[in-house]
Amino acid sequence: MLLTVLGCSGSVPGPNAASSGYLLEADGFLLGVELGSGTLAALQAVRDPFALDALLFSHLHADHCADFPSLTVYRRYHPRPTRDPRANRLPVHAPRAAPQRFAGAYATDAEELAVTDLSDVFDFRPLAVGTFHIGPFEVTATTAAHPCDAYSFRIDHGGRSLVYTGDTGMSAAVVALAEGADVVLAEASWAHGGGPIPDLHLSGREAGELAAAAGAGRLLVTHIPPWTDRATVLAEAAAAFPGEVVAVEQGAAYAL
C-alpha cells in the first residue's frame, strides 16, 4: 500500500497547508480518505481526480470534507467524454447524513437545496460498525470518541494493515482496532493536558500511548493544528512509543 498525504493540518487549513486528506493505493485502486479544505487542489497536483475509485470519510466536520462540493462541480461539469467509464458515479463511504450534508454545502440557498440531488455524480454508501470491502481493501470501522457520527478505520491489504484514527479521544475501541497494526496514522491535536473538551482529540502523548498499547509497528502523526507546536506533539508521541514516529508532511508518500 502507498499512502500519499494531500493535507494534514488539523481542525483548519494552515498557511499553505491543506486540512485532512489522503490517498491510499494498492493494486491500481485509488482510495481517497477525507477531502478537507485545500485537498482538491493538492489532489490535482499529483493525480487526475477522475482516477479516484472511491472515497471514505471518517466524519463530516468541514476540515475533513469541505472540498466535496468542489469535487461535485469537477465531476459534473468537466468536459470529459461520457463514454469514459470513470465518469460513472463515484462510491462514497461516509456517515449516514452525508448526502444531506454535502447537498447543503453545494446548494446556494434553501430553494436550491430542495431540488439538489448529488446521486447523479456519487453513489453514497452509509457507514456502520463492522467490516466491508472497498476495492482490494478490507476495511473495519469502529465508532470514534468524537462529538458526532464518527469512525476510526483499519484497512488491510496483502498482509499489511493501516489504522487511521480519524478524530477521536482515547478509547478502548480504537486501541483494539489498532492491535498489531503495521502502521497507525493517528491524529494529535495538542500537547497533553491542553485539550479543553474530553472525547474530542488525542494529544501527542495519547497518540504514542495508543500505538504502544496496540503493539503497532510504526506511528505516523497527523492533524496537528497550526496553533499547536509540532515539535512538542512529536516529542510527546516519541516518548510514549518505542517504535518509529513520523509527523507526516503534505505532499509526502509513505510505503506501508
Side-chain angles (χ1 to χ4, degrees), residues 177-241:
L177 185 73
E179 184 176 356
D182 295 294
V183 179
V184 173
L185 177 63
E187 67 115 324
S189 295
W190 43 53
H192 197 69
I197 303 172
D199 290 340
L200 183 64
H201 292 296
L202 298 172
S203 66
R205 189 175 93 180
E206 288 172 326
E209 290 174 344
L210 188 162
R218 182 162 46 140
L219 174 60
L220 303 181
V221 179
T222 190
H223 197 275
I224 302 175
W227 53 74
T228 294
D229 184 75
R230 184 181 180 91
T232 298
V233 166
L234 191 61
E236 283 189 357
F241 178 63

